[in-house]
Amino acid sequence: MFTGIIEAIGTVAAKQEVGGDLRLTLATGQLDMSDVALGDSIATNGVCLTVIEYDQQHFTADVSQESLAHTRLMDLRPGEAVNLEKALLPTTRLGGHLVSGHVDAVGSIASIERDARSVRIAVDMPSSLARYIAPKGSVTIDGVSLTVNSVDADSFHLNIVPHTADTTIISQYEVGHGVHIEVDMIARYLERLLQTKQESESSSEGISLEMLASAGFMHRR
């Protein structure tokens, strides 16, 4: 679990195909590695990766075909900058929102406009995600917890303050750049709860005396 508050900007040090999967080595930049252990999770552009090797300047992780199919990690180039965040601790201040590190879709930057000292960004997304994104709600872009300004059928709009631009890779975005999108997990769980409730109610409504009689479970009168 993560918060969406980026701790450091790293870079891709090496890529290697291993048995059909991808092995990534990331240079960790200013990320504090003193408390990292094998098996820990580090979000890389919002993708939860498991540490299999590490030193004080790098960590290595394997990326499965499932992760490759739903992210743009395979497209990362050596030297490309990435957002890094270690998994939160029970004592971690939750400055963003709860982030799982499981990417819902790859979107793309549709527009970038200056707005005083901030930057307004529009992100194109699959229309299937629109129901999970609400104005003034939370969304994660490449691991960064952000507040949604507005939502359209297939895009949403963000305001990036200077600090966020300076401490993440957002300042390097160009129109057309691919980004990882993770919607607010509360929206996903709420939808599932409502689906379960509706299925339960539908099943209950389908059982009646008439239905039982027609199926031979009781005599008609």
Side-chain angles (χ1 to χ4, degrees):
M1 196 71 68
F2 307 91
T3 70
I5 303 300
I6 301 305
E7 296 180 84
I9 296 177
T11 55
V12 178
K15 292 173 56 178
Q16 180 185 7
E17 289 193 33
V18 179
D21 293 331
L22 178 67
R23 181 164 292 175
L24 275 177
T25 298
L26 291 306
T28 53
Q30 299 300 310
L31 188 68
D32 179 9
M33 298 289 286
S34 63
D35 59 350
V36 171
L38 292 179
D40 281 358
S41 297
I42 298 179
T44 302
N45 277 1
V47 184
C48 179
L49 298 180
T50 300
V51 176
I52 63 169
E53 297 176 4
Y54 73 98
D55 57 33
Q56 292 306 304
Q57 289 81 41
H58 304 83
F59 78 93
T60 298
D62 286 329
V63 187
S64 69
Q65 283 294 318
E66 173 69 14
S67 294
L68 293 174
H70 294 91
T71 70
R72 59 177 296 272
L73 292 184
M74 182 61 83
D75 299 331
L76 293 177
R77 305 177 306 275
E80 184 170 345
V82 292
N83 292 322
L84 299 176
E85 180 192 354
K86 294 182 294 186
L88 62 84
L89 301 171
T91 55
T92 300
R93 182 175 295 170
L94 189 60
H97 69 285
L98 290 176
V99 176
S100 68
H102 302 154
V103 172
D104 290 296
V106 175
S108 63
I109 302 301
S111 66
I112 303 173
E113 298 179 1
R114 298 294 310 182
D115 182 11
R117 295 175 55 242
S118 298
V119 178
R120 290 186 179 270
I121 292 179
V123 182
D124 284 340
M125 64 176 171
S127 57
S128 60
L129 291 187
R131 65 183 183 270
Y132 303 114
I133 300 177
K136 306 311 174 185
S138 297
V139 70
T140 307
I141 301 298
D142 279 344
V144 185
S145 173
L146 297 168
T147 300
V148 178
N149 285 353
S150 60
V151 186
D152 299 322
D154 55 6
S155 65
F156 57 92
H157 304 263
L158 307 165
N159 188 81
I160 311 300
V161 297
H163 176 78
T164 301
D166 292 342
T167 56
T168 71
I169 65 170
I170 291 177
S171 62
Q172 303 178 28
Y173 286 167
E174 298 178 350
V175 172
H177 183 86
V179 294
H180 296 143
I181 301 172
E182 182 187 333
V183 301
D184 188 352
M185 67 173 65
I186 294 176
R188 281 217 174 273
Y189 281 119
L190 180 59
E191 180 186 52
R192 181 56 185 152
L193 286 170
L194 291 174
Q195 286 177 341
T196 302
K197 182 175 184 295
Q198 291 168 355
E199 290 168 0
S200 176
E201 291 175 348
S202 176
S203 176
S204 297
E205 292 171 357
I207 299 175
S208 65
L209 292 176
E210 183 66 25
M211 183 273 286
L212 290 173
S214 65
F217 288 100
M218 60 183 295
H219 294 293
R220 295 178 185 271
R221 291 186 177 182

